Amino acid sequence: MGETTVKSLDSRTTPSSPIVAGEGRFARLRAHTPRRPTIWFEIVLIAVSYWVYSLTRNAVPEQKAEALKNADWIWKTEQSLGLAFEHAVNHAVNSVTWLIVSMNYYYATLHFVVTIGVLVWLYRWHPGRYAAFRTVLFATTAVALVGYYLYPLAPPRLMDSQNFVDTVLVHHTWGSMASGNLKHVSNQYAAMPSMHIGWSLWCGVTIFLLARAPWAKILGLLYPAATLVVIVSTANHFWMDAVGGMLCLAFGFAVSYFWYGSRPHRLPRLVEPAASTPQRGGPPPAKGTDREKDGETAESEEQVSSGR
């Protein structure tokens, strides 16, 4: 008989588990292995989470006087930095009707459409990374609620003394939950941080990190940049609100890293079922399963190596 060589199943390419850096007191809280997402659970989770987010955001007291005072401080701070360009951009873009109307609809729709689209893309093509990136989005949104509560801020369009143009009202387009008849069901003084920036930057970073096509990476970077132009042009946010959104996103990535012990894009793309290796003396694998196929593959390789 020739020398028998058995090829281990562990030599196959399998998703690696996140690595825990060091043995600390929080070791058991970290390095959670991503599981295969369940479609109905994710739909319910996202729907309920957004409902809770909207309910909490709108439950924050509308402190008009404090919000206008904070808006004046933001505006004066930007002026002192020589970066108070919102007024000029708002009036310049408002003079081009087709452009500002397009921006109104952009502001009203893409915030949701693109975010949901990226979540679906992650779920379908990157299931192993889906939960980690979803955690980033959820943590980003959650910490934004703290900002709304602690720092009420009026958007530029509500600063009567500065003559900003509320482009939704002027051009009679639906584009803001805080304009027209819808203003009574939405907190108008929750402008800091900007979740239009927080969510769009999450989309852009996710696409840039995971997409393979160069054109897709470029579009990923352009999307939050375009969103910044839109929120300033429509007078819905100061550019400093965008900075707040970026800080919230950084917090979201930190939470995800702590929970999974790895940056989201470093996690394996796919998630394989656990316990795929058969054990001697254990129950036989079910007919037609991956476990049975793996056992047959190992047995065939052993026969070939032994010369049988």
Side-chain angles (χ1 to χ4, degrees):
M1 292 181 61
E3 182 181 357
T4 301
T5 305
V6 180
K7 182 178 180 181
S8 172
L9 293 178
D10 293 336
S11 63
R12 296 175 301 153
T13 303
T14 57
S16 57
S17 299
I19 299 175
V20 181
E23 294 294 335
R25 59 185 300 183
F26 300 110
R28 288 190 298 177
L29 296 177
R30 300 187 60 186
H32 292 259
T33 303
R35 298 178 180 179
R36 185 179 298 276
T38 305
I39 182 65
W40 292 114
F41 173 79
E42 294 300 327
I43 291 175
V44 172
L45 177 63
I46 292 172
V48 171
S49 298
Y50 184 74
W51 175 75
V52 172
Y53 163 75
S54 299
L55 189 67
T56 305
R57 179 179 186 269
N58 296 333
V60 174
E62 291 195 0
Q63 305 175 52
K64 181 177 180 179
E66 185 70 17
L68 289 173
K69 178 181 177 181
N70 290 335
D72 287 334
W73 184 88
I74 290 285
W75 185 239
K76 290 177 181 178
T77 300
E78 291 186 354
Q79 287 178 322
S80 66
L81 295 174
L83 296 173
F85 51 77
E86 290 92 342
H87 189 276
V89 173
N90 173 234
H91 281 262
V93 178
N94 183 67
S95 65
V96 184
T97 303
W98 67 267
L99 180 58
I100 193 60
V101 169
S102 299
M103 287 188 174
N104 286 339
Y105 289 125
Y106 179 113
Y107 185 88
T109 59
L110 293 192
H111 180 54
F112 304 101
V113 173
V114 177
T115 304
I116 293 174
V118 173
L119 282 169
V120 172
W121 176 63
L122 284 170
Y123 181 91
R124 177 64 181 85
W125 298 107
H126 298 269
R129 298 160 179 161
Y130 171 86
F133 275 104
R134 183 202 60 198
T135 299
V136 173
L137 183 64
F138 279 28
T140 298
T141 306
V143 75
L145 292 173
V146 179
Y148 299 148
Y149 183 84
L150 296 178
Y151 195 78
L153 179 68
R157 59 186 176 75
L158 293 182
M159 298 175 66
D160 296 332
S161 61
Q162 300 301 328
N163 194 31
F164 280 95
V165 179
D166 189 332
T167 60
V168 172
L169 293 180
V170 170
H171 297 280
H172 307 289
T173 56
W174 57 271
S176 173
M177 285 293 290
S179 295
N181 295 328
L182 294 176
K183 66 183 180 181
H184 301 295
V185 296
S186 178
N187 186 353
Q188 298 194 77
Y189 305 109
M192 171 68 85
S194 169
M195 279 299 93
H196 270 75
I197 290 299
W199 287 15
S200 66
L201 190 59
W202 174 84
C203 293
V205 169
T206 300
I207 294 172
F208 179 79
L209 290 175
L210 300 183
R212 295 181 179 180
W215 62 266
K217 291 181 178 291
I218 293 174
L219 286 179
L221 295 179
L222 288 178
Y223 175 53
T227 301
L228 176 60
V229 174
V230 167
I231 66 173
V232 170
S233 299
T234 56
N236 279 292
H237 288 282
F238 297 99
W239 66 261
M240 289 185 69
D241 301 342
V243 175
M246 295 175 188
L247 293 176
C248 288
L249 182 65
F251 173 82
F253 271 102
V255 169
S256 179
Y257 182 84
F258 175 84
W259 189 252
Y260 291 100
S262 175
R263 287 173 289 180
H265 66 287
R266 296 295 186 186
L267 293 170
R269 186 174 69 87
L270 302 177
V271 178
E272 290 188 357
S276 60
T277 305
Q279 297 179 355
R280 293 184 180 275
K287 199 71 175 177
T289 62
D290 290 338
R291 184 180 167 194
E292 180 192 40
K293 293 176 182 178
D294 289 341
E296 292 175 353
T297 301
E299 183 179 357
S300 298
E301 291 174 348
E302 181 178 357
Q303 293 175 355
V304 171
S305 300
S306 62
R308 287 185 292 173

